[in-house]
Amino acid sequence: MPKRREQPRREPRELGELPYVDHLEPFKGRLAQGGDYDTVLFDGGEFEDADASGARFIESAFASVTFAGGRYRRARFSDVWLNGVRWVGGDLTESVWADAEIIMSAPAGTALPGAEMNHVLFHRCKLDSVNLRAADLREVSFVECTLRDVDFAGAALTGVTFPGSTLERVRFDKARMSRVDLRGAVSLGISDGYDALRGATISGVQLMELAPMFAHILGVTVDDG
C-alpha cells in the first residue's frame, strides 16, 4: 500500500493579493440583520453586541477588527479574508463559511454549533473555548494554530488537517471523521472522544502517546509486573 502523503500547508494571501481588492469599499454605518455586505473592507474598529443574524458577507475583508459578543446566527461568509480579528464571545450558530482565510485571529468563547465550514484556512490562530459542536467541517486546515478547550463533539470532520498545530483539551466526543490528518500536529491533547478517531490518520509517535487511552477504551489492562 503506498504511503499516504500529508496535505501541503496552504499559505494565506496578503490583502493586496485578493482578486477583489480593487473593488473593496470601506464599511460605513452599522451591521444589520439580513444585511448584504458585498466587497466591503472592514478596517479596524469594534462591533459590540451587534445583531447581524442572517447577514451575508461576500468577497469582503476584515483587518484588525474586534467583535465583542453579538448575534450572527445563520450569517454567511463567502470568499472572505480575516486578518488580526478578535472575536470574543458571540453567537454564530449555524453560520456558513466557504472559501475563507482566517489569519492571526483569536476567537475566544465563540459559539459556532451547527456551523458549516467548507474550504476554510485557519493560519496561526488561537482558538480558545470555541464551541463547534455538531458542526460540519470539510477541507478545513488549522495551520500552526493553538486549539485550547475547543469542542468538536458530534461534529463531522472531512478532509481536516492540523499541520504545526497544538491541541490542548480538545473534545471529539461522538465526532465523525473521514480523511482527518493529525500527523502534523505538534501536540495531541485530547480530553475525550478517543474512540471517535476512527477515520483519522496519526503518526507512530502519536500512537505511542495515545496507546494508554486506547487500551483503556478497549478494556485492556497493561501490567509490567
Side-chain angles (χ1 to χ4, degrees), residues 38-207:
D38 194 339
T39 56
V40 177
L41 173 61
F42 299 84
D43 190 3
E46 178 174 340
F47 297 94
E48 184 173 358
D49 291 326
D51 190 349
S53 298
R56 291 167 294 279
F57 301 87
I58 303 170
E59 291 190 339
S60 294
F62 301 77
S64 302
V65 177
T66 297
F67 293 92
R71 291 159 294 284
Y72 305 85
R73 298 173 67 93
R74 299 186 178 85
R76 184 176 186 88
F77 299 81
S78 300
D79 202 357
V80 293
W81 181 90
L82 294 80
N83 193 331
V85 172
R86 294 181 65 246
W87 210 310
V88 183
D91 182 0
L92 287 99
T93 299
E94 297 180 358
S95 55
V96 178
W97 300 74
D99 299 308
E101 295 176 51
I102 306 172
I103 309 154
M104 299 285 289
S105 297
T110 309
L112 289 137
E116 296 180 19
M117 294 188 175
N118 193 353
H119 287 90
V120 176
L121 168 66
F122 290 89
H123 191 271
R124 295 185 178 177
C125 295
K126 293 184 178 180
L127 293 80
D128 196 343
S129 300
V130 174
N131 179 354
L132 283 160
R133 295 175 68 91
D136 187 359
L137 283 68
R138 297 177 180 271
E139 310 304 331
V140 176
S141 297
F142 296 92
V143 180
E144 297 178 16
C145 295
T146 298
L147 291 79
R148 182 179 297 113
D149 295 310
V150 175
D151 191 351
F152 291 104
L157 289 78
T158 304
V160 179
T161 61
F162 299 84
S165 291
T166 299
L167 282 63
E168 301 178 10
R169 300 183 300 276
V170 173
R171 299 186 60 191
F172 289 116
D173 184 42
K174 297 182 180 178
R176 303 177 305 283
M177 298 187 184
S178 174
R179 296 188 293 106
V180 173
D181 198 336
L182 291 162
R183 290 174 296 176
V186 176
S187 174
L188 281 183
I190 301 174
S191 61
D192 63 26
Y194 290 91
D195 54 344
L197 295 179
R198 179 179 298 174
T201 300
I202 61 175
S203 69
V205 173
Q206 291 170 332
L207 175 60

